[in-house]
Structures are given as C-alpha cells and as structure tokens.
C-alpha cells in the first residue's frame, strides 16, 4: 500500500494518542453513601474528586480513535498496488554524430534495457520512447546532429517520474561514446539533480579519414583596410586549424551554395570556409524586419561585449542540419555551421565596426580564433576529459524513488470507504454515549432505592 499524502495519517495518529491520554487522565467524584452521622455534615455541595482507579467508557474511546484514524487515513489517500520491482532503469542512448559503431550501440542498448524501463534517445534533443521499445532498439541509427548530455539528463529526470512507482530504486544508464562536444557548462549542474550514480556504457566513436587540419593556416579574403583583417592577423598565431574567412559580397548565383575556387580547396582539405561578409547577406540569413542593437555575442567560452547592430537573422529553415556555433546574448543564432565535403561552411552574421577599437581588443581577437576552430565533425571525435566523465558517473548508490515526483495525483479507491467508516464511528459514539448515560441513571436510581430501604 502506498500513501499519496502520508502527513494526514501521521497527524491522525497523534490526535488518536492525545484522545487516549486524555481518557486515562479523567477524574470523577467519589460515590455518595449515607452515613450514621450525616446530620453533622454541613448542608453544602460535595466537591471532592478522585482519580479513576481503572479506565471506563473504553468503547467510546475506541470509537473516537477509530473515527480520527479512519478520517486521517482517508485523507492520506492510500493506493493498493502490486509489489514493486527492486530496481528499474532509465536508459539514455546516444544517437548523435559522435557514434561510429551502430551495431555496438544497438547491442548495448538491448543488453541494458528491460521491459518496464524508460528509454530515451538523444542527440541535440532528447526523445522518450513509449510503447514497445524493443522494436525501436533494433532500428537505432545515429543522426548527423550534435549530442547534448544536458538535454538527455533533463529527459532522464522526467522519465524517472513515470517509472518511480514500478520500483524501489532507479538506475541511470548512459550508452554513448562520450565525446567532448556533448558536454556543456550546464551538464554538471543538471547531473547533480539525479540523486544517485550512473552506469556509463562506452561505444565506438565515429572516425574520419581527413580529420587532421594544418596548424596555423588562417587566411582572409578582404581589403587591406578591413578591420576584421587586423583581428585575423592578431589571432593567427593562436589558431591551430585550417580556415579561410571570406569577406566578399555574396553573389546571387551562389547564395547558399558551397564555395568554389581556393576556398573550396580549403574546405575539401578538412578546413573551414567562413562566410563573414562585411555588408552583404551571409549564407542562410535573411534581413530582419527591423534592425536592432544587441549588447554582446558568445561562441564557446569566448564572449564579446559591444554594441552590435543586427541586420540579419537565421530563420528556422536555415538551422535544419546546422550547428549554432555563436549566439547573441538574447539567445538568437549569430553564426551557424554546415558540413561541406570533408570540411565545413560557416555563416557569420556579426558586424565588425570600422570605427573604434573592437578589431584590436583581446576578447574580439580570441572570438575570431574561436570562429576559426576545427569543424564540428572533427571535434565530435575528440573524447571527453576523464574528470568530466567521472563526474557524470558519480559515486553514490542507486537513486531512491522518493526524490522523483509522481507525474500526477492518483485517485484512491479506499478513501471513500475510510471516510464512511469515520462517519459511522462518529454516529456510533452518539448511541454508545446515550446508552451509557441511561445505564448510569438506572444504576443510580437503583442504588438510591436500596439505600432508602436499608435506612
């Protein structure tokens, strides 16, 4: 039996104990009798009392306790359930672009999943699989999207609420290659919300034949007086990947196509082609209905605080199959990336002011270096730091079911019957007390009559 609101039962037990205590503390007047020297007793009302030597009216006490406990148990909403399993699992299966061995992924998922467990598939978003999950396990195929352990852990907390009533403890199982790009700044905070350890099952990561990039090959196609060219010159020593930044206006014939010529050669070689036009439309972007000003932009842990005037935005259609690599401080995408051959194509909608010191500021130079980093397909193959993986696993025992909130209130079939029992006990007390009064009155009259005859 499970109580949805056990506090009411505890309160009713406390009240029942108080009723019993007060019942045993009751005092009463001694029984009156005729004395031969009664003529010397003052004609006043007797007020002497004495403690009861033994309890009386036990039936009334029991009915009162039964009434209070039954009402409290009804308000506690008991649920009669079949016996729970000792343990249930929430299985997170990584289907992101980091996964390279599909067969190993499917086998690991099948091995760790059991009927009644919760199954969550995740890449950049997480999806809880309902119904017959066995069919889904045999058809798992990695996608081309980036994995997000933060999104997976949030879905795990929600899925745990649906299986909490099936088991006494819950185990978190994560099947993934655990790439570095799947961790973010919120992963540790979200992981701490799961009150127990996690079992990590590592599967094979994806491999690329052309994932290595030349060191320090950062070029820019821009005029000599372009402020971004100055920032590129300052950032070039710290760049360890191949990239070329194109500032040329976008031609109508090649609005969203893969670049050609020298830039295309850099892309095939495993580098990044960065479309960062000075005034024209970036690939995939559309002009904003009303230009506005935003106070900052961030890429990875590189942020720049400055008044940027925004003229372009990336609609939802342009984000399909793309990675957002930079965002404005209000959360809107500022730069996106798409795979192209063995490299990638980046589209940047961040204006660079020609007036002021923005181009030579250290934070902006570091931001330019971050925008020239290796393509996401290459960084997806980098394994996560061992300390990050250790924090993800945790060291405590299995999570108890208590911390996970039930998905919704449930109706108690016993509550109406218990309330009826409480009402019946209250009515029965009235009849018992009336009968006790009648018996007391009859006994008193009989005693007085006997004493009168004896006198």
């Amino acid at each position: 039996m499970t109580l949805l609101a056990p506090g009411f039962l505890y309160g009713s037990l406390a009240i029942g104990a108080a009723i019993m205590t007060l019942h045993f503390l009751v005092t009463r007047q001694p029984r009156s009798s005729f004395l031969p020297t009664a003529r010397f007793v003052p004609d006043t009302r007797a007020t002497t009392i004495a403690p009861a030597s033994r309890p009386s009216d036990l039936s009334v006490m029991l009915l009162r306790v039964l009434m209070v406990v039954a009402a409290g148990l009804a308000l506690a909403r008991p649920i009669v359930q079949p016996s729970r399993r000792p343990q249930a699992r929430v299985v997170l299966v990584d289907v992101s672009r980091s996964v390279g061995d599909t067969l190993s992924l499917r086998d690991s998922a099948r091995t760790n999943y059991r009927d009644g467990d919760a199954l969550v598939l995740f890449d950049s978003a997480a999806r809880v699989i309902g119904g017959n999950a066995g069919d889904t396990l045999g058809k798992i195929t990695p996608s081309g999207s980036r994995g997000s352990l933060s999104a997976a852990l949030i879905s795990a907390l929600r899925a745990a609420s649906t299986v909490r009533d099936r088991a006494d403890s819950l185990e978190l199982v994560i099947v993934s290659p655990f790439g570095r790009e799947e961790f973010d700044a919120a992963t540790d905070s979200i992981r701490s919300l799961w009150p127990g350890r996690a079992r990590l099952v590592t599967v094979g990561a994806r491999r690329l034949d052309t994932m290595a990039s030349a060191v320090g090959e950062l070029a820019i196609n821009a005029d000599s007086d372009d402020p971004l060219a100055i920032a590129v010159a300052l950032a070039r020593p710290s760049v360890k990947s191949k990239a070329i930044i194109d500032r040329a206006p976008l031609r109508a014939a090649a609005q969203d196509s893969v670049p050609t010529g020298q830039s295309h050669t850099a892309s095939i070689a495993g580098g990044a082609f960065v479309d960062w036009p000075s005034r024209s439309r970036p690939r995939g972007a559309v002009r904003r209905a009303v230009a506005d000003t935003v106070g900052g932009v961030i890429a990875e842990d590189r942020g720049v605080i400055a008044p940027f005037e925004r003229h372009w935005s990336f609609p939802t259609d342009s984000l399909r199959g793309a990675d957002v690599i930079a965002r404005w401080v209000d959360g809107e995408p500022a730069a996106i990336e798409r795979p192209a051959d063995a490299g990638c194509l980046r589209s940047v909608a961040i204006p660079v002011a020609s007036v002021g010191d923005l181009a030579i500021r250290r934070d902006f130079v570091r931001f330019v270096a971050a925008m020239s980093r290796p393509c996401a397909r290459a960084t997806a193959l980098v394994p996560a730091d061992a300390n990050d993986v250790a924090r993800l696993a945790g060291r405590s025992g299995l999570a108890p079911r208590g911390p996970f909130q039930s998905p919704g209130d449930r109706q108690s079939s016993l509550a109406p019957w218990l309330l009826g029992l409480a009402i019946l006990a209250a009515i029965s007390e009235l009849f018992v007390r009336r009968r006790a009064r009648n018996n007391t009155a009859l006994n008193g009259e009989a005693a007085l009559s006997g004493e009168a005859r004896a006198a």
Side-chain angles (χ1 to χ4, degrees), residues 267-291:
S267 179
I268 291 177
F273 179 87
V274 184
D275 179 34
W276 196 338
S278 57
R279 293 183 179 84
S280 62
R281 180 180 73 87
R283 285 178 172 82
V286 297
R287 183 174 292 278
R288 301 175 68 91
V290 178

Side-chain angles (χ1 to χ4, degrees), residues 190-359:
I190 301 174
R191 172 62 182 87
S192 64
L193 300 178
W194 183 277
R197 69 171 183 264
R199 184 156 55 89
L200 308 184
V201 181
T202 305
V203 297
R206 183 173 57 89
R207 297 182 179 275
L208 286 179
D209 297 333
T210 57
M211 62 171 294
S213 297
V215 177
E217 293 189 13
L218 174 60
I220 184 171
N221 178 22
D223 298 333
S224 58
D225 59 346
D226 194 312
L228 187 58
I230 301 175
V232 169
L234 296 174
R236 189 174 286 120
S238 62
V239 174
K240 299 181 179 180
S241 59
K242 180 184 297 185
I244 181 171
I245 299 177
D246 189 8
R247 297 282 281 173
L250 184 63
R251 296 186 298 273
Q255 287 183 346
D256 296 317
S257 62
V258 177
T260 59
Q262 181 184 0
S263 300
H264 185 53
T265 303
S267 179
I268 291 177
F273 179 87
V274 184
D275 179 34
W276 196 338
S278 57
R279 293 183 179 84
S280 62
R281 180 180 73 87
R283 285 178 172 82
V286 297
R287 183 174 292 278
R288 301 175 68 91
V290 178
D292 63 356
T293 301
V294 68
V297 64
I298 186 170
E300 292 183 336
D301 58 345
R302 310 297 192 212
V304 180
I305 303 301
F308 293 98
E309 187 176 353
R310 296 190 295 187
H311 295 277
W312 311 100
S313 64
F314 294 98
T316 304
D317 293 341
S318 65
L319 299 179
R320 292 194 180 97
D323 290 299
V324 179
I325 60 174
R327 291 185 182 274
W328 300 110
V329 291
D330 61 359
E332 287 194 21
I336 63 175
E337 175 185 312
R338 291 180 179 275
D341 295 333
C344 58
L345 168 64
R346 293 190 181 125
S347 180
V348 183
I350 303 172
V352 182
S354 58
V355 179
D357 62 345
L358 178 63

Side-chain angles (χ1 to χ4, degrees), residues 99 133 148 243 270 382 389:
V99 178
S148 174
V382 179
V389 177

Side-chain angles (χ1 to χ4, degrees), residues 1-2 4 78-84 165-166 401 410:
M1 177 181 293
T2 299
L4 299 181
I79 300 293
V80 178
Q81 296 177 329
S83 59
R84 294 188 296 268
D165 295 331
R166 307 175 193 170
R401 57 187 294 269
R410 299 179 59 182

Side-chain angles (χ1 to χ4, degrees), residues 37-126:
T37 57
R39 63 180 181 276
F40 299 108
V41 177
D43 190 13
T44 59
R45 184 177 180 182
T47 57
T48 302
I49 59 174
S53 59
R54 59 182 179 179
S56 61
D57 297 332
L58 292 179
S59 57
V60 175
M61 180 194 70
L62 293 177
L63 285 173
R64 288 175 177 175
V65 173
L66 177 62
M67 174 183 64
V68 171
V69 174
L73 189 59
L75 294 175
R77 291 181 295 170
I79 300 293
V80 178
Q81 296 177 329
S83 59
R84 294 188 296 268
R85 293 162 46 183
Q87 178 183 331
R89 295 173 180 170
V90 178
V91 183
L92 306 182
V93 181
D94 190 346
V95 293
S96 69
R97 64 190 177 195
S98 299
V99 178
D101 191 345
T102 303
L103 295 179
S104 175
L105 181 69
R106 293 175 180 175
D107 292 341
S108 299
R110 287 197 195 97
T111 301
N112 291 279
Y113 178 81
R114 300 170 301 183
D115 291 340
D117 293 341
L119 178 63
V120 180
L121 304 183
F122 73 94
D123 43 22
S124 59

